[in-house]
Amino acid sequence: MKTPTTSMLSFVFLLVISFSLAASAGTHEEFLQCLSLHSPNSTSISKLIYTPNNTSYLSVLNFSIQNLRFTSPSTPKPLVIVTPFDESQIQATIYCSKYHGMQIRVRSGGHDYEGLSYVSDVPFVILDMINLSSITVDAESKTAWVESGATIGQLYYRIAEKSKNLGFPAGVCPTVGVGGHFSGGGYGVMLRKYGLAADNVIDARIVDVNGQVLDRKSMGEDLFWAIRGGGGASFGVILAWKINLVTVPSTVTVFTIAKTLDQNATNLSHKWQHIAPKFPEDLFIRIIINRVNSSENGKWTIQASFNSLYLGGISNLIPLMQERFPELGLTEEDCTEMSWIESILYFAGFPTGESLDALLDRTPLTRVYFKAKSDYVKEPIPVFGLEGIWRMFYEDEGEQAVMILSPYGGKMEEIAESSIPFPHRKGNLYKIQHLVNWNEEGEEVSQRYISWIRRLYSYMASYVSRFPRAAYINYRDLDVGVNNNKGNTSYAQASIWGVKYFKNNFNRLVQVKTKVDPGNFFRNEQSIPPFSAWWKKGD
């Protein structure tokens, strides 16, 4: 029997796509007519819509996709992409999607690790918030309004335009959209000083399932609580956030000290676990673990990079490190003083001297295929446990793998677990992001790397949080459990993943969902279900 060629497989795939598009054409055309009918300016909305018939459809779709795993021809594509400029177009999209039985996926930056903001296996529409990206900074009141389609890089840039002594405690990757980042919690290198991005949100505007535009007062405190860490896509379309800006000194200090195994990386990493969560809250030192070439030809070693932000100058940092972590051997030559906004470029991986304008660019520095997972650590991992991790990194698939260990303590110890849906607070020494990426395309290759990170995750089980084994929703991981996307999902099924992300806050999130979206219109593979979705039919 002949093996099918690539061209034969491509032809079969195109044939399948043609049939599926033909089957959905009726719904698709009716949806477009509905949008035109229900939009205040039907001429303008036609310029905001992209269908597979548009020559620019694929470029618009792929522009915000960060994970190449979801750019393959076999990845389900939206029937329509809507790129609204105002809230009335979002209201029309919600109405018409409901009326014609289509799902909505809302995309702000496209960093969703499992592609849930732009992939679905049922007929769906992407509501791409890219054009809703205005930012208004009020330096006097130390607040800002930022629309969901803006990136955190754009937000940082606009804050620094107004003041050198104001900042915001969000993430290190400037192309992340604030819509998803804030609604999942959002952390960065100032979390020990100021908590999460979501901890500093003081108002929001959201379009609910009925098309109403609500602010904090009109939505009520329950819904306002839910969208700050509970994942906004479960509850509506978030238009904008009002945030409290935080004070940053005129000078901050950064350093990165890389140590390999023969430079005592294992013992330094072990010691770090005991002391990093107890540092003064102005000091943040994370560890980035990866595999590198050793000094011996053809051999590998493990490198632990101690990557730090200190909210102050070198003259204060050096004695602090000599007292708290002398083993690291930090010297003045290792440190660089800069402004807070320059430190944003540093942590984002830009070269020294890069223009701040780079923060306005929505295009990521690199795109790769990747799979990620997360863990929380409550007790220091023993040396032999760390050595087991190193062994896994020596495997072929570990070549481009990374583990990022981010310390807690400080402000994170002080905020109650129930303050917002994000529950991972006191008692956590640090959080781990497990990440593996690769450059080759193909399902077989992907499965090999995904299998590797699953084995690493399995190995870590005895060293991390348990009952539940906690996870971070912004490091979305469908391995921890999924809803039944084509039908009703029971509370029991959703709680498998829900308690890992939200612990005891999951119950309250379900109650809020039941109140604001009882028909479960806003849903995805890991959206909060309403009680009503399973009460009638169960699983």
Side-chain angles (χ1 to χ4, degrees):
M1 182 179 172
K2 272 180 147 182
T3 304
T5 64
T6 303
S7 57
M8 287 170 61
L9 291 172
S10 299
F11 173 75
V12 171
F13 171 73
L14 288 171
L15 205 59
V16 171
I17 286 294
S18 300
F19 282 128
S20 63
L21 286 175
S24 61
T27 303
H28 160 251
E29 289 301 327
E30 290 167 4
F31 174 79
L32 295 180
Q33 289 171 9
C34 178
L35 271 186
S36 179
L37 190 64
H38 288 86
S39 299
N41 186 338
S42 59
T43 307
S44 68
I45 199 162
S46 65
K47 298 173 183 175
L48 313 175
I49 294 168
Y50 301 86
T51 72
N53 297 326
N54 292 103
T55 54
S56 51
Y57 168 84
L58 274 180
S59 62
V60 171
L61 174 64
N62 290 334
F63 177 77
S64 295
I65 295 180
Q66 310 294 330
N67 191 343
L68 292 179
R69 283 171 56 205
F70 305 112
T71 57
S72 72
S74 60
T75 303
K77 306 287 191 293
L79 295 176
V80 183
I81 304 170
V82 183
T83 57
F85 274 95
D86 65 53
E87 60 195 38
S88 68
Q89 294 155 350
I90 294 174
Q91 292 169 310
T93 304
I94 292 172
Y95 174 84
C96 296
S97 297
K98 283 169 62 180
Y99 191 81
H100 291 287
M102 296 164 74
Q103 261 189 26
I104 281 182
R105 296 294 167 109
V106 184
R107 179 166 77 174
S108 54
H111 278 260
D112 191 309
Y113 280 14
E114 295 281 15
L116 300 191
S117 63
Y118 53 85
V119 176
S120 177
D121 56 8
V122 298
F124 74 108
V125 175
I126 290 179
L127 196 52
D128 193 324
M129 306 293 281
I130 192 167
N131 294 322
L132 288 167
S133 59
S134 75
I135 299 165
T136 307
V137 176
D138 185 340
E140 193 174 330
S141 67
K142 297 184 180 179
T143 61
W145 271 102
V146 51
E147 288 188 318
S148 285
T151 65
I152 55 176
Q154 292 169 339
L155 174 61
Y156 294 149
Y157 184 94
R158 298 301 172 202
I159 294 170
E161 266 188 331
K162 293 292 183 76
S163 170
K164 303 306 177 194
N165 292 109
L166 290 175
F168 191 69
V172 299
C173 181
T175 57
V176 169
V178 303
H181 188 61
F182 292 7
S183 73
Y187 83 96
V189 294
M190 290 201 294
L191 91 163
R192 304 189 66 252
K193 177 75 170 182
Y194 292 116
L196 308 175
D199 293 324
N200 294 277
V201 170
I202 54 174
D203 203 345
R205 297 182 72 248
I206 183 173
V207 185
D208 73 3
V209 69
N210 300 312
Q212 300 178 96
V213 178
L214 307 171
D215 62 7
R216 178 174 182 172
K217 185 177 180 183
S218 54
M219 78 175 77
E221 288 302 300
D222 283 344
L223 180 53
F224 183 62
W225 174 86
I227 61 175
R228 289 174 298 151
S234 291
F235 304 99
V237 179
I238 296 166
L239 298 169
W241 305 92
K242 187 178 184 182
I243 55 175
N244 265 334
L245 305 181
V246 302
T247 302
V248 294
S250 300
T251 299
V252 304
T253 304
V254 300
F255 69 79
T256 302
I257 295 183
K259 299 287 188 180
T260 57
L261 294 187
D262 59 359
Q263 295 169 323
N264 207 25
T266 304
N267 289 329
L268 289 170
S269 299
H270 184 254
K271 174 72 181 287
W272 172 92
Q273 298 178 96
H274 293 82
I275 58 175
K278 297 175 183 174
F279 285 147
E281 59 186 16
D282 287 336
L283 178 59
F284 174 92
I285 304 178
R286 64 178 181 171
I287 304 180
I288 302 170
I289 306 288
N290 67 318
R291 188 176 100 184
V292 296
N293 281 314
S294 74
S295 52
E296 298 179 51
N297 275 341
K299 294 200 173 178
W300 298 102
T301 187
I302 303 301
Q303 178 176 273
S305 298
F306 295 82
N307 182 226
S308 176
L309 172 72
Y310 177 63
L311 298 172
I314 294 174
S315 60
N316 290 327
L317 175 59
I318 295 296
L320 171 60
M321 288 295 289
Q322 286 172 344
E323 178 192 348
R324 299 292 191 95
F325 200 6
E327 298 89 343
L328 192 60
L330 184 72
T331 66
E332 287 191 26
E333 290 71 33
D334 297 316
C335 302
T336 307
E337 289 186 342
M338 57 181 64
S339 66
W340 173 78
I341 192 65
E342 288 169 334
S343 78
I344 296 296
L345 291 173
Y346 176 84
F347 283 101
F350 287 102
T352 304
E354 182 72 40
S355 166
L356 292 178
D357 290 348
L359 296 174
L360 300 176
D361 189 353
R362 298 185 73 102
T363 311
L365 290 172
T366 57
R367 293 183 207 253
V368 293
Y369 300 85
F370 71 87
K371 170 70 178 177
K373 292 179 167 292
S374 57
D375 267 314
Y376 289 86
V377 178
K378 294 178 176 293
E379 300 288 338
I381 298 173
V383 167
F384 66 82
L386 295 175
E387 289 171 343
I389 298 171
W390 310 161
R391 284 193 291 274
M392 292 205 65
F393 270 67
Y394 284 128
E395 296 178 16
D396 290 345
E397 295 78 14
E399 183 175 358
Q400 295 186 72
V402 178
M403 280 177 69
I404 303 174
L405 284 51
S406 297
Y408 271 33
K411 185 73 171 178
M412 295 297 284
E413 289 270 321
E414 300 165 14
I415 301 173
E417 281 193 2
S418 59
S419 172
I420 63 172
F422 179 97
H424 313 299
R425 306 286 189 173
K426 191 172 183 178
N428 291 297
L429 298 178
Y430 59 96
K431 180 184 63 58
I432 301 176
Q433 177 176 195
H434 311 280
L435 188 65
V436 64
N437 59 64
W438 58 97
N439 300 314
E440 315 97 295
E441 59 181 291
E443 183 61 24
E444 191 176 320
V445 176
S446 291
Q447 286 308 314
R448 186 157 52 83
Y449 285 94
I450 292 170
S451 174
W452 179 86
I453 200 170
R454 285 172 176 163
R455 284 189 289 109
L456 173 64
Y457 186 74
S458 177
Y459 168 81
M460 295 296 298
S462 57
Y463 301 116
V464 297
S465 60
R466 282 179 263 184
F467 312 116
R469 182 174 182 177
Y472 176 38
I473 189 173
N474 273 359
Y475 292 156
R476 184 87 71 176
D477 179 11
L478 296 185
D479 291 348
V480 303
V482 292
N483 294 337
N484 174 13
N485 197 34
K486 293 183 179 177
N488 294 312
T489 294
S490 72
Y491 178 91
Q493 183 180 352
S495 66
I496 292 170
W497 59 263
V499 297
K500 293 168 185 170
Y501 289 146
F502 306 115
K503 298 174 72 174
N504 293 333
N505 293 333
F506 179 66
N507 291 332
R508 185 177 173 188
L509 286 168
V510 171
Q511 291 168 12
V512 175
K513 173 73 170 182
T514 305
K515 182 178 174 184
V516 303
D517 184 19
N520 202 26
F521 172 70
F522 291 109
R523 67 184 184 275
N524 59 49
E525 288 78 359
Q526 285 185 343
S527 60
I528 305 295
F531 283 117
S532 54
W534 59 270
W535 184 256
K536 295 172 188 171
K537 298 181 183 177
D539 282 311

